[in-house]
Amino acid sequence: MSTPERPRQAPSFTALKLKPLPAREACCCAGGCESEPAAGQPVTGQSMSWIVEGMDCAACARKVENAVRQLAGVEQVQVLFATQKLRVSAPESMRRQIEAAVGAAGYALRDAAPAAKTSRMRESLPLLILMIMMVISWGIAQFTPSFGNFAFIVTTLVGLLPITRQALRLMRNGSIFTIETLMSVAAVGALCIGATEEASMVLLLFLIGEKLEGWAANRARQGVSALMALKPETATRVKDGERETVTISALRPGDVIEVAAGGRLPADGTLLTAGASFDESALTGESLPVEREAGEKVPAGATSVDRLVQLNVLSMPGESAIDRILRLIEEAEERRAPVERFIDRFSRLYTPVIMLVALLVALIPPLLFAAPWGEWIYKGLALLLIGCPCALVISTPAAITSGLAAAARIGALVKGGAALEQLGRVRQVAFDKTGTLTAGKPQVTHICSQELTEEALLTLAAAVEQGSTHPLALAIVNEARHRGLAIPPASAQRTLTGSGIEAEVEGQQVLICAAGKFADDRYRSQIQALEEAGQTVVIVALNGEPKGIVALRDTLREDAREAVDALHRLGIKGVILTGDNPRAAAAIAGELGLTFQAGLLPEDKVRSVAALSQRAPLAMVGDGINDAPAMKAATVGIAMGGGTDVALEAADAALTHNRLTGLAQTIALARATHANIRQNIAIALGLKAIFLVTTLLGITGLWLAVLADTGATVLVTANALRLLRRR
């Protein structure tokens, strides 16, 4: 309807759609990477995907990308670390070639089917062998130093063999400056100057660090893995009264499925059972079971709490609520924060520069100042290990991945690190009114006409509004049905954006528009009195002549006041931007303690958002079609989960549980994430600076250098994981 707010499309929890942006993961390698195809360049190859096994950190993602990118015929390649997925656009005939290239880089590819579990003993065998050999070598050295020295050489070579092999593989695949390369150079150099015990200790600490990084990476991916596990592998389909067990890939819209008490829904569905309770906490963060009635939609992954239920399937395989959230998480990885992109670019120069500095440290003092060669080569090797950028590079993606996962837990889906960074900067929030601050379920409170009866005026209005899903339109149609009125059909319906809607009813032109958009004084006093009472008033005109007014009143959301108070505690100011009349807006703003701007068309909202954004970073919160331009104009656009497809598409974040209280939680989490990033960078650079000085002064050696790097990586990752424990 044409209302002071706006016409809307049907709200749907199935509307979480995002467009992927090309990006690459940060890593420890500093070598240049070939660029992806330009945005406008057509992609002609077939899209293929695999699950990558063996990735311990974001550096591994870049190594896999580089390995595939070297192949002629590959158009696009991307590794999504959070879901361990490799996406490639290339001819289907290259499938085996791609799998071979990734295998040559030291990783394995498999289809989406679950992988066979490898025993922990087998995974840890190289580390255990090296530890045993270290103990044996140390024991021999206690009794026979010369044989002990030889034992340490053998131990180093055994530990060095797989690392050097991996370094050579990665060099052939385009990743030159990797941690494996640094470790190989340092270990071989240590052997050459006789530091055999330290050479083997460096390798042992490196393998321990790799295991810790793998553990931390798995912890960071647990949220995504848990989400993937929400969908059962099979479903019970009911057909002609017979029950059959089928895979979820066999389900199609229109199928009837049955879910037992305690069972999870395999697809989005419409409830056929009279009523039931569902636990949707894994998807929305809602802690209490949600009561659903027959005909209501229930998302995949929800659990039937108390009874056996039947549902009508709504979603195609791969298009359920869980699938869409997983796609959003994958696409969020592509939208990297500016600080993350800077660290990535910095790391590409950092490693070769450090290798050059280490070489100069080893050569200049002996050549120019006759210093001992052995001592300065040793210091150069230690500097080489200290210079590994692993901790620095992982500092940002680890925190952002944890922040995005933590946000998903509270029912906020943020479209990537860039949006998360902007959220942390927000100092103002602009709210749409209807459906955002209010419940979006208004009721007709007053009908006034000087020429027609209330029923006749309501019938005309309902005829024009039928078919619309706007809350005010629904209120008018529901009131007509409640009164038992026969609503005639309407034709030639036309929306007048931001001001009204018109249609032909029984051969006459009927217009419904906001009271302030119609120039006529006939009902001015009644309109003024109703608007002063905080009600929304629309005029019904017949063939250009006003025939009466309809007043409606919406109520605040239950959590609106709590949400606004929480924002105030964060030091964030709020303003209402609405197309409603000033008096109705003032009534809502007065209850919440907010300022407001009323009577705005969509383009007015955009101008207001632009003006407000010049003062301080601004988030625009809305749920309607006409909110989308303002969301795009704001620093950050945030859509309510029950909003329209267009609003969700335009937004940088979405509150899937449709609770306003999640807004302050998400902004607080974004701020915590950026504080975490600053802490991580300080840890990574601080430890390196300390050990750089102590190494040049001769206080610390090789094994402490690698311990510093490994320790910094573990500290940074553990610090990032703290975000997952936020409540």
Side-chain angles (χ1 to χ4, degrees):
M1 119 170 202
S2 166
T3 69
E5 284 294 325
R6 58 212 174 269
R8 307 186 184 194
Q9 294 178 347
S12 168
F13 67 81
T14 66
L16 298 176
K17 305 170 187 171
L18 293 174
K19 293 181 174 65
L21 301 174
R24 291 187 295 272
E25 286 303 310
C27 73
C28 297
C29 68
C33 298
E34 295 179 18
S35 62
E36 300 284 359
Q41 183 176 335
V43 177
T44 58
Q46 181 173 339
S47 178
M48 297 177 282
S49 66
W50 295 264
I51 299 297
V52 185
E53 294 181 333
M55 290 197 303
D56 293 328
C57 68
C60 301
R62 172 67 68 77
K63 294 169 186 175
V64 173
E65 282 185 353
N66 285 345
V68 178
R69 195 173 283 116
Q70 302 299 314
L71 301 175
V74 170
E75 296 177 352
Q76 286 183 324
V77 55
Q78 182 184 37
V79 176
L80 303 170
F81 179 63
T83 51
Q84 298 177 276
K85 186 178 290 185
L86 167 65
R87 291 177 178 171
V88 180
S89 290
E92 174 66 26
S93 58
M94 293 189 65
R95 180 175 287 272
R96 290 186 179 276
Q97 195 177 350
I98 292 168
E99 292 172 351
V102 174
Y107 303 92
L109 296 180
R110 63 174 173 84
D111 293 330
K117 290 187 177 180
T118 307
S119 68
R120 291 187 179 181
M121 179 63 73
R122 183 175 180 180
E123 289 180 347
S124 304
L125 194 58
L127 177 59
L128 292 174
I129 290 174
L130 194 61
M131 290 178 69
I132 292 170
M133 292 185 69
M134 278 287 295
V135 171
I136 293 173
S137 301
W138 180 82
I140 294 174
Q142 302 306 304
F143 299 99
T144 313
S146 59
F147 280 105
N149 191 53
F150 178 75
F152 277 121
I153 292 175
V154 173
T155 300
T156 301
L157 293 176
V158 170
L160 190 57
L161 184 62
I163 297 174
T164 303
R165 186 187 298 130
Q166 177 70 354
L168 293 173
R169 284 175 178 170
L170 293 171
M171 285 181 182
R172 286 195 297 270
N173 287 297
S175 299
I176 300 174
F177 300 108
T178 64
I179 181 60
E180 287 83 3
T181 302
L182 297 181
M183 291 303 306
S184 300
V185 172
V188 170
L191 289 178
C192 292
I193 62 174
T196 56
E197 184 176 349
E198 291 190 84
S200 56
M201 178 61 77
V202 161
L203 295 177
L204 178 61
L205 290 173
F206 172 70
L207 290 179
I208 292 174
E210 290 282 288
K211 294 297 291 183
L212 289 173
E213 282 187 29
W215 170 82
N218 288 332
R219 282 291 306 276
R221 284 194 292 247
Q222 277 179 1
V224 176
S225 301
L227 194 61
M228 295 173 71
L230 289 179
K231 286 195 306 182
E233 295 181 5
T234 60
T236 301
R237 183 167 60 187
V238 181
K239 192 172 184 180
D240 299 327
E242 299 292 329
R243 289 165 176 78
E244 57 178 340
T245 300
V246 298
T247 61
I248 62 172
S249 60
L251 295 178
R252 293 294 181 272
D255 288 347
V256 175
I257 57 173
E258 196 170 73
V259 179
R264 291 194 181 276
L265 273 63
D268 298 341
T270 302
L271 186 62
L272 299 176
T273 308
S277 298
F278 292 91
D279 179 0
E280 300 178 7
S281 58
L283 287 166
T284 66
E286 178 63 59
S287 58
L288 298 176
V290 179
E291 298 293 330
R292 299 289 185 190
E293 299 296 330
E296 290 193 69
K297 297 174 183 176
V298 188
T303 302
S304 176
V305 174
D306 54 358
R307 67 190 65 183
L308 178 76
V309 295
Q310 285 193 347
L311 301 101
N312 196 341
V313 174
L314 292 175
S315 59
M316 289 287 290
E319 297 180 6
S320 69
I322 295 174
D323 297 312
R324 286 187 296 276
I325 293 173
L326 286 171
R327 276 201 301 274
L328 188 147
I329 291 172
E330 290 178 352
E331 291 165 3
E333 275 198 80
E334 302 164 5
R335 304 184 179 194
R336 300 163 64 199
V339 64
E340 186 177 359
R341 292 194 294 269
F342 170 76
I343 293 294
D344 188 23
R345 290 194 299 269
F346 175 72
S347 71
R348 298 185 189 187
L349 299 174
Y350 177 84
T351 304
V353 168
I354 284 293
M355 293 186 76
L356 177 61
V357 171
L359 181 63
L360 294 177
V361 166
L363 295 178
I364 290 178
L367 289 175
L368 298 184
F369 306 105
W373 279 98
E375 177 185 345
W376 285 96
I377 290 176
Y378 182 89
K379 289 180 179 180
L381 294 174
L383 183 59
L384 195 65
L385 295 179
I386 291 170
C388 174
C390 287
L392 178 62
V393 169
I394 204 174
S395 61
T396 302
I400 287 177
T401 299
S402 296
L404 293 174
R409 284 185 178 181
I410 61 174
L413 296 180
V414 183
K415 298 180 183 179
L420 196 65
E421 180 172 328
Q422 298 286 21
L423 267 173
R425 297 173 51 233
V426 164
R427 293 296 180 271
Q428 301 179 93
V429 174
F431 294 97
D432 167 48
K433 185 175 76 69
T434 303
T436 302
L437 288 174
T438 62
K441 296 180 179 179
Q443 294 181 337
V444 174
T445 58
H446 188 82
I447 300 173
C448 176
S449 176
Q450 297 175 0
E451 302 177 33
L452 304 176
T453 64
E454 287 190 7
E455 287 72 15
L457 188 71
L458 185 60
T459 299
L460 284 176
V464 175
E465 297 290 10
Q466 60 187 333
S468 173
T469 56
H470 188 283
L472 298 182
L474 291 173
I476 290 175
V477 174
N478 289 339
E479 179 67 18
R481 288 173 178 166
H482 178 72
R483 296 191 183 195
L485 303 178
I487 304 175
S491 61
Q493 287 175 312
R494 186 168 69 95
T495 299
L496 309 176
T497 305
S499 61
I501 185 171
E502 62 181 9
E504 281 190 18
V505 180
E506 297 179 342
Q508 301 187 83
Q509 196 73 18
V510 181
L511 168 69
I512 302 176
C513 70
K517 308 298 180 182
F518 197 94
D520 191 277
D521 296 334
R522 206 168 307 178
Y523 294 93
R524 180 176 296 277
S525 59
Q526 293 98 321
I527 292 172
Q528 184 174 348
L530 290 167
E531 288 184 345
E532 285 177 354
Q535 300 189 50
T536 298
V537 183
V538 296
I539 286 181
V540 181
L542 188 65
N543 297 323
E545 291 293 324
K547 295 299 180 182
I549 59 174
V550 179
L552 306 98
R553 177 69 185 259
D554 202 356
T555 57
L556 277 178
R557 285 178 178 269
E558 293 181 359
D559 61 346
R561 192 184 306 278
E562 180 185 351
V564 171
D565 289 344
L567 289 172
H568 286 163
R569 287 194 293 271
L570 291 175
I572 296 174
K573 298 178 180 179
V575 59
I576 298 175
L577 302 181
T578 178
D580 210 340
N581 67 80
R583 296 179 185 87
I588 297 296
E591 289 187 57
L592 296 174
L594 299 175
T595 59
F596 70 91
Q597 296 179 29
L600 302 178
L601 294 173
E603 55 269 28
D604 298 326
K605 284 189 179 182
V606 172
R607 284 193 289 268
S608 295
V609 165
L612 289 167
S613 297
Q614 290 180 354
R615 303 178 195 170
L618 172 83
M620 175 68 198
V621 185
D623 67 332
I625 295 172
N626 289 357
D627 295 325
M631 288 182 187
K632 282 294 186 184
T635 307
V636 180
I638 302 173
M640 301 300 291
T644 66
D645 293 10
V646 176
L648 288 164
E649 182 72 33
D652 301 294
L655 302 178
T656 59
H657 51 32
N658 218 28
R659 288 202 312 268
L660 272 176
T661 48
L663 183 59
Q665 290 176 304
T666 306
I667 293 175
L669 178 62
R671 292 182 180 181
T673 300
H674 287 284
N676 194 283
I677 290 172
R678 290 191 293 271
Q679 294 162 6
N680 284 349
I681 293 174
I683 291 171
L685 294 179
L687 282 176
K688 291 183 185 301
I690 292 170
F691 279 88
L692 172 64
V693 173
T694 56
T695 298
L696 292 176
L697 293 176
I699 300 172
T700 54
L702 282 177
W703 71 273
L704 275 177
V706 75
L707 185 61
D709 177 66
T710 299
T713 302
V714 172
L715 284 174
V716 161
T717 307
N719 188 45
L721 291 175
R722 288 192 307 114
L723 293 169
L724 295 175
R725 295 196 294 272
R726 284 181 62 89
R727 292 291 181 268

